[in-house]
């Protein structure tokens, strides 16, 4: 088959909702797009451990501490599945990690915001995981098999995290004045960055159209953002805290909430590295990576020594087995 | 002799070891040397905090003053904590953390094996659940001690340094005081001398494989079990107890 035929067979499969698997032929641009998207997602899970990890040692009860530890650990697990999914496309985890620690690879900008009070842990679960779920549920039907399958498992865990986050918010909002003020403060700071998580408006989203055609992406940024707003506004009402948007109102005609303009200048600033925590996050991840080098080297050296000893032992043992020990 | 406080104190020692070591390990979450090990160490932290919760809740019940697991974890000051000095030592690096874990796991493993048959039935049930976890912890930390000890020249040197720094905190584990004697006589806890023998044998075996040298038994620090701690514990508590202290009496 020539390239054109291959491309057509590929697109026909995608159109027929047949999953693309690692050994199948795929256009180079499809492979590159997936590597970029899956690895960005993996990096986001790993960097995302930091803002929440910030409160593990200060969690206000042992039950909350255990839940938060387990949650942050789940994120490490998500990073692991996603790096594995990316590796099926012929790229090493180590290379991908180097690209975000020392190169230009991105991760979700939301994690460049700080966690300043305990309610931030609730708000992240409720809003950030909530937005992530909106983005990720459609990815369970992504045309690339390993990514879609990783997303099924991830979405299950994310929705558990989201309920947990909302439950933290609810406890605070039913608590003292100080606790309710923490919850409001967290919502004020996390609301707009959460809306930005869906990415630029459809008209400004460079990769969207091709991704839709390849069925990597199923719904547009603006559609997903609107869904998120519609669901979340009701949840905020139930909590009794106010969404920090004076333009927010129900639009009977559209059947959706209208909301105010997003500060895209801020969004791009954070993407470019000027968010409140960009430097801290990368520094923390580099530190972990660099301080872990001797550990990784030792593990590797030990594994090799062991293998060499085994081979030597087998060489001695195999020609004339004298006795067997059990 | 007032038996109740001893029983409570004995349980607190077990609980505080689990809690403070769990707290220390949880500092690693998100900062581990490899993703897989970050996950593994967090598992151990989760197990240990889980054990601490069961033990603190039970200690509170034995004390009979209505203190919950959280009241005991968040509203006691350093002098009221009964954990070993070893478990409050800082993480420093992966080697220290692993070695601290190994010294403690080897002790805890033989201790909990005995506690599974404790005359205190409720403690025995907790121990039977915990021993499965502790068995895994000991395997994990033993394997890493070997890997780092017999890894590269650098890893060997780092481990040997950690051994010389942490060794002085191991003696306290086996030094019985009146409460340990009370627990042994009541059939609640084991003889610490017997545990010491088993611990020594295991540590020797693992160190041999790890090509690490045991220090000449030198001066041993002590005091944790009686509430005289190192300077580190105050900072652990300052972090851990912050919200409960700053906003007292609330639900979270």
């Amino acid at each position: 088959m020539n390239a054109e035929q291959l491309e057509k067979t590929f697109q026909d499969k995608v159109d027929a909702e047949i999953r693309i698997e690692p050994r199948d032929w795929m256009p180079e641009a499809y492979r590159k797009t997936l590597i970029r998207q899956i690895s960005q997602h993996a990096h986001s899970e790993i960097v995302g451990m930091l803002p929440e990890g910030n409160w593990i040692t200060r969690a206000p009860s042992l039950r909350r501490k255990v839940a938060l530890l387990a949650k942050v650990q789940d994120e490490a697990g998500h990073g692991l599945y996603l790096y594995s999914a990316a590796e099926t496309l012929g790229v090493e985890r180590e290379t991908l990690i180097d690209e975000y620690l020392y190169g230009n690879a991105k991760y979700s900008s939301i994690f460049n915001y700080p966690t300043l009070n305990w309610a931030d842990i609730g708000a992240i679960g409720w809003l950030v995981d909530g937005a992530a779920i909106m983005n990720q549920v459609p990815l369970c039907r992504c045309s690339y098999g390993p990514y879609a399958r990783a997303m099924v498992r991830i979405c299950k865990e994310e929705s558990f995290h989201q309920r947990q986050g909302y439950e933290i918010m609810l406890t605070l909002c039913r608590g003292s004045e100080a606790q309710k003020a923490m919850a409001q403060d967290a919502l004020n700071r996390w609301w707009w960055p959460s809306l930005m998580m869906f990415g630029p408006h459809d008209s400004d989203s460079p990769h969207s159209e091709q991704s839709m055609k390849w069925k990597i992406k199923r719904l547009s940024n603006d559609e997903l953002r609107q869904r998120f707003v519609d669901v979340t506004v009701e949840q905020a009402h139930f909590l009794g805290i106010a969404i920090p948007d004076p333009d927010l109102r129900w639009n009977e005609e559209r059947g959706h909430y209208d909301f105010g303009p997003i500060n895209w200048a801020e969004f791009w600033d954070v993407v470019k590295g000027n968010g409140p925590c960009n430097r801290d996050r990368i520094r923390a991840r580099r530190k972990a990576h660099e301080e872990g080098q001797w550990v990784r080297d030792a593990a590797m050296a030990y594994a090799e020594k062991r293998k060499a000893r085994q081979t030597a032992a087998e060489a001695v043992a195999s020609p004339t087995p004298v006795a067997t020990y059990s | 002799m007032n038996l109740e406080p001893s029983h409570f104190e004995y349980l607190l020692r077990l609980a505080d070891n689990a809690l403070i070591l769990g707290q220390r390990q949880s500092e690693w979450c998100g900062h581990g040397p490899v993703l897989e090990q970050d996950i593994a160490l967090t598992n151990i932290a989760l197990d240990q905090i889980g054990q601490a919760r069961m033990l603190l809740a039970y200690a509170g019940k034995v004390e009979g003053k209505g203190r919950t697991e959280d009241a005991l974890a968040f509203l006691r000051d350093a002098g009221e904590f009964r954990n070993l000095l070893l478990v409050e030592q800082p993480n420093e690096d992966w080697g220290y953390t692993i070695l601290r874990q190994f010294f403690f796991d080897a002790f805890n493993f033989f201790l909990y094996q005995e506690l599974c048959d404790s005359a205190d039935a409720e403690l025995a049930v907790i121990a039977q659940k915990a021993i499965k976890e502790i068995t895994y912890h000991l395997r994990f930390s033993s394997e890493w001690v070997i890997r780092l000890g017999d890894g590269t020249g650098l890893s060997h040197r780092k481990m040997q340094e950690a051994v010389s720094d942490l060794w002085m905190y191991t003696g306290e584990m086996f030094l019985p005081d009146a409460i340990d004697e009370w627990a042994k006589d009541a059939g609640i806890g084991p003889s610490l001398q017997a545990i010491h023998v088993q611990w020594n044998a295991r540590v020797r075996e693992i160190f041999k494989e790890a090509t690490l040298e045991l220090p000449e038994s030198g001066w041993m620090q002590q005091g944790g079990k009686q509430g005289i701690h190192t300077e580190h514990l105050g900072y652990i508590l300052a972090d851990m107890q912050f919200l409960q202290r700053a906003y007292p009496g609330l639900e979270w």
Side-chain angles (χ1 to χ4, degrees):
Chain A
M1 269 198 277
N2 63 30
E4 213 169 293
Q5 284 166 322
L6 284 167
E7 191 118 10
K8 186 176 179 310
T9 316
F10 168 82
Q11 189 63 48
D12 288 347
K13 266 165 93 175
V14 170
D15 292 342
E17 303 285 341
I18 297 168
R19 288 271 161 81
I20 306 300
E21 295 299 337
R23 286 162 185 278
D24 296 345
W25 185 90
M26 61 187 84
E28 200 43 37
Y30 175 85
R31 184 192 303 275
K32 282 204 173 121
T33 300
L34 277 170
I35 290 175
R36 183 178 53 83
Q37 183 170 335
I38 299 172
S39 62
Q40 274 184 14
H41 190 168
H43 306 328
S44 302
E45 296 283 357
I46 303 308
V47 177
M49 296 170 75
L50 298 172
E52 291 177 280
N54 186 37
W55 280 88
I56 289 173
T57 60
R58 292 177 292 167
S61 70
L62 294 181
R63 180 172 81 93
R64 293 291 185 205
K65 188 188 294 291
V66 166
L68 183 57
L69 258 175
K71 184 192 172 194
V72 178
Q73 187 193 36
D74 281 347
E75 281 154 15
H78 297 172
L80 211 52
Y81 319 145
L82 288 163
Y83 283 125
S84 304
E87 283 184 325
T88 65
L89 293 157
V91 54
E92 299 279 321
R93 193 210 295 190
E94 202 56 25
T95 312
L96 296 173
I97 290 176
D98 276 350
E99 279 170 8
Y100 93 92
L101 290 181
Y102 307 103
N104 291 317
K106 301 287 182 214
Y107 55 87
S108 180
S109 276
I110 192 81
F111 302 118
N112 291 317
Y113 290 87
T115 49
L116 303 178
N117 78 49
W118 169 251
D120 288 27
I121 299 307
I124 289 180
W126 172 38
L127 301 172
V128 176
D129 292 332
I133 293 166
M134 285 286 169
N135 267 328
Q136 291 170 4
V137 166
L139 290 174
C140 299
R141 294 186 295 129
C142 162
S143 59
Y144 188 58
Y147 191 26
R149 288 188 288 273
M151 290 318 302
V152 171
R153 186 157 169 198
I154 290 174
C155 282
K156 274 186 201 152
E157 292 180 353
E158 293 290 9
S159 82
F160 178 68
H161 297 162
Q162 199 215 2
R163 283 203 299 278
Q164 227 170 37
Y166 192 71
E167 202 252 315
I168 290 176
M169 294 303 275
L170 197 59
T171 306
L172 295 173
C173 290
R174 301 287 178 268
S176 72
E177 280 308 308
Q179 286 175 310
K180 197 168 172 185
M182 282 179 200
Q184 182 66 61
D185 172 50
L187 175 57
N188 292 348
R189 284 179 289 106
W190 290 95
W191 174 252
W192 291 106
S194 299
L195 294 195
M196 294 174 197
M197 282 177 71
F198 296 94
H201 286 307
D202 297 345
S203 50
D204 304 319
S205 181
H207 303 294
S208 280
E209 201 183 324
Q210 181 63 66
S211 285
M212 299 275 257
K213 189 175 167 232
W214 280 332
K215 299 200 177 181
I216 293 173
K217 200 176 163 91
R218 299 268 180 173
L219 296 164
S220 81
N221 294 353
D222 287 325
E223 280 175 284
L224 288 164
R225 185 164 22 239
Q226 183 68 59
R227 280 190 184 189
F228 175 74
V229 170
D230 291 346
V231 171
T232 310
V233 169
E234 304 290 330
Q235 293 169 344
H237 285 162
F238 186 75
L239 292 174
I241 46 180
I243 287 183
D245 178 359
D247 298 324
L248 186 83
R249 58 183 56 86
W250 178 250
N251 181 327
E252 194 64 50
E253 204 174 307
R254 291 203 308 125
H256 290 293
Y257 281 95
D258 290 339
F259 52 94
I262 290 170
N263 183 350
W264 293 111
E266 176 184 324
F267 174 79
W268 289 114
D269 245 355
V270 180
V271 170
K272 281 180 201 137
N274 299 323
C277 299
N278 295 58
R279 278 168 196 279
D280 289 345
R281 300 293 184 238
I282 284 294
R283 224 178 32 229
R285 289 306 312 159
R286 280 184 188 161
K287 185 167 181 279
H289 188 72
E290 287 161 14
E291 289 180 359
Q293 190 63 51
W294 72 273
V295 177
R296 296 191 296 276
D297 290 345
M300 193 77 85
Y302 177 72
E304 275 162 22
K305 276 189 204 175
R306 213 181 133 120
K307 208 170 126 193
R309 275 178 216 145
Q310 248 162 15
T311 317
E314 278 161 22
V316 172
S318 58
T320 46
V322 180
T324 42
Y325 300 94
S326 58
Chain B
M1 187 180 180
N2 184 354
L3 290 186
E4 286 310 298
S6 292
H7 193 187
F8 172 66
E9 289 270 326
Y10 187 73
L11 294 170
L12 268 191
R13 290 176 177 187
L14 299 171
D16 288 347
N17 281 340
L19 178 61
I20 299 300
L21 188 54
Q23 176 79 3
R24 269 294 186 222
Q25 285 151 340
S26 73
E27 294 170 17
W28 272 104
C29 185
H31 305 276
V34 199
L35 211 40
E36 285 82 349
Q37 303 315 323
D38 200 306
I39 293 173
L41 202 66
T42 302
N43 261 335
I44 296 179
L46 279 166
D47 288 344
Q48 271 168 338
I49 296 171
Q51 291 165 15
R53 292 182 68 186
M54 291 188 287
L55 289 161
L56 285 173
Y58 178 45
K61 198 170 103 181
V62 166
E63 188 195 30
K65 292 182 183 166
R67 289 204 277 183
T68 60
E69 59 177 52
D70 284 340
L72 287 169
F74 295 96
L75 302 175
R76 277 181 300 150
D77 205 346
E80 297 163 89
F81 272 77
R82 295 292 179 259
N83 58 279
L84 297 163
L85 302 178
L86 177 69
V87 299
E88 69 199 38
Q89 297 312 303
N91 290 341
E92 298 291 349
D93 65 15
W94 183 254
Y96 262 76
T97 299
I98 287 297
L99 186 71
R100 183 186 62 199
Q101 185 70 34
F102 171 66
F103 281 155
F104 179 73
D105 289 341
F107 162 71
N108 220 27
F109 175 73
F110 294 117
L111 173 64
Y112 272 69
Q113 266 192 340
E114 297 296 322
L115 292 177
C116 287
D117 300 319
S118 172
D120 175 346
E122 201 154 332
L123 177 58
V125 169
I126 294 173
Q128 284 154 16
K129 182 170 184 297
I131 191 72
K132 293 181 195 131
E133 298 167 347
I134 295 165
T135 305
Y136 164 76
H137 302 169
L138 178 59
R139 197 171 75 204
F140 174 86
S141 59
S142 302
E143 283 171 4
W144 269 103
V145 167
I146 294 167
R147 208 172 273 140
L148 296 175
D150 191 22
T152 61
L154 175 64
S155 72
H156 179 85
R157 221 162 41 243
K158 277 174 164 290
M159 286 306 277
Q160 200 62 64
E161 239 176 70
V163 171
S164 44
D165 286 349
L166 289 174
W167 184 251
M168 66 180 175
Y169 297 110
T170 58
E172 185 189 18
M173 300 193 276
F174 311 107
L175 201 72
D177 67 0
I179 288 167
D180 294 313
E181 292 298 341
W182 169 86
K184 191 179 73 171
D185 294 344
I188 289 176
S191 144
L192 290 180
Q193 283 98 334
I195 304 280
H196 196 183
V197 173
Q198 293 173 296
W199 184 87
N200 259 328
R202 180 61 66 95
V203 169
R204 267 168 214 287
E205 177 197 328
I206 298 297
F207 269 39
K208 183 160 178 261
E209 212 179 327
T211 70
L212 290 171
E213 283 182 29
L214 275 174
E216 296 295 317
S217 263
W219 173 254
M220 290 291 172
Q221 303 294 338
Q222 53 173 302
K225 294 201 278 192
Q226 294 80 28
I228 313 289
H229 290 275
T230 58
E231 289 176 346
H232 305 296
L233 184 64
Y235 292 95
I236 295 177
L237 299 185
D239 253 11
M240 187 171 84
Q241 299 182 338
F242 154 65
L243 279 167
Q244 291 271 0
R245 299 289 194 179
Y247 303 92
L250 302 178
E251 287 293 316
W252 296 91

